[in-house]
């Protein structure tokens, strides 16, 4: 058996059943400010995932990606195989580690 989850390709999500939310980075100090993806994680805390076995795709800045993946694994009990998390950039000056 492959290590990744099997998907039911017959189950199609209708566009009208998709919910989207915009989460902006705070401009001032707040509960989530100062932490990588703090405001995004705050929003995820209030989000009701539709069913167990929901697949999460995360594509953010490096530190934010790690924070969201960690929250989904420990705060929302997502199985590792049900999260695709990739960082596409690293915050800071070019060439800085």
């Amino acid at each position: 058996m492959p290590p990744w989850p099997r998907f039911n390709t017959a189950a199609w999500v209708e566009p009208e059943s998709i919910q989207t939310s915009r989460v902006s980075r705070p401009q001032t100090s707040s509960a989530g400010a100062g932490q990588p993806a703090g405001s995004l994680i705050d929003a995820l805390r209030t989000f009701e995932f539709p069913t167990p076995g929901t697949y999460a795709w995360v594509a953010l800045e490096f530190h934010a990606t790690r924070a969201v993946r960690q929250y989904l694994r420990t705060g929302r009990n997502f199985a590792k195989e049900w999260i695709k998390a990739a960082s596409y950039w690293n915050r800071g000056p070019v060439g800085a580690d």
Side-chain angles (χ1 to χ4, degrees):
M1 176 171 253
W4 58 86
R6 294 197 179 267
F7 297 99
N8 179 357
T9 55
W12 177 255
V13 177
E14 295 297 324
E16 61 272 2
S17 68
I18 296 173
Q19 265 188 309
T20 60
S21 298
R22 181 182 173 100
V23 179
S24 298
R25 288 188 306 243
Q27 298 300 313
T28 59
S29 181
S30 69
Q35 300 174 18
S39 56
L40 182 55
I41 291 172
D42 288 345
L44 286 172
R45 284 188 178 106
T46 65
F47 187 77
E48 292 185 36
F49 290 97
T51 61
T54 297
Y55 186 82
W57 180 66
V58 181
L60 301 165
E61 184 272 337
F62 175 76
H63 296 95
T65 298
R66 284 195 334 187
V68 169
R69 179 179 49 223
Q70 182 69 21
Y71 170 72
L72 290 172
R73 293 274 293 126
T74 60
R76 298 303 288 263
N77 299 316
F78 268 67
K80 181 171 59 172
E81 342 23 89
W82 286 89
I83 301 171
K84 166 61 177 161
S87 58
Y88 286 91
W89 71 94
N90 203 345
R91 177 178 255 176
V94 175
D97 291 321

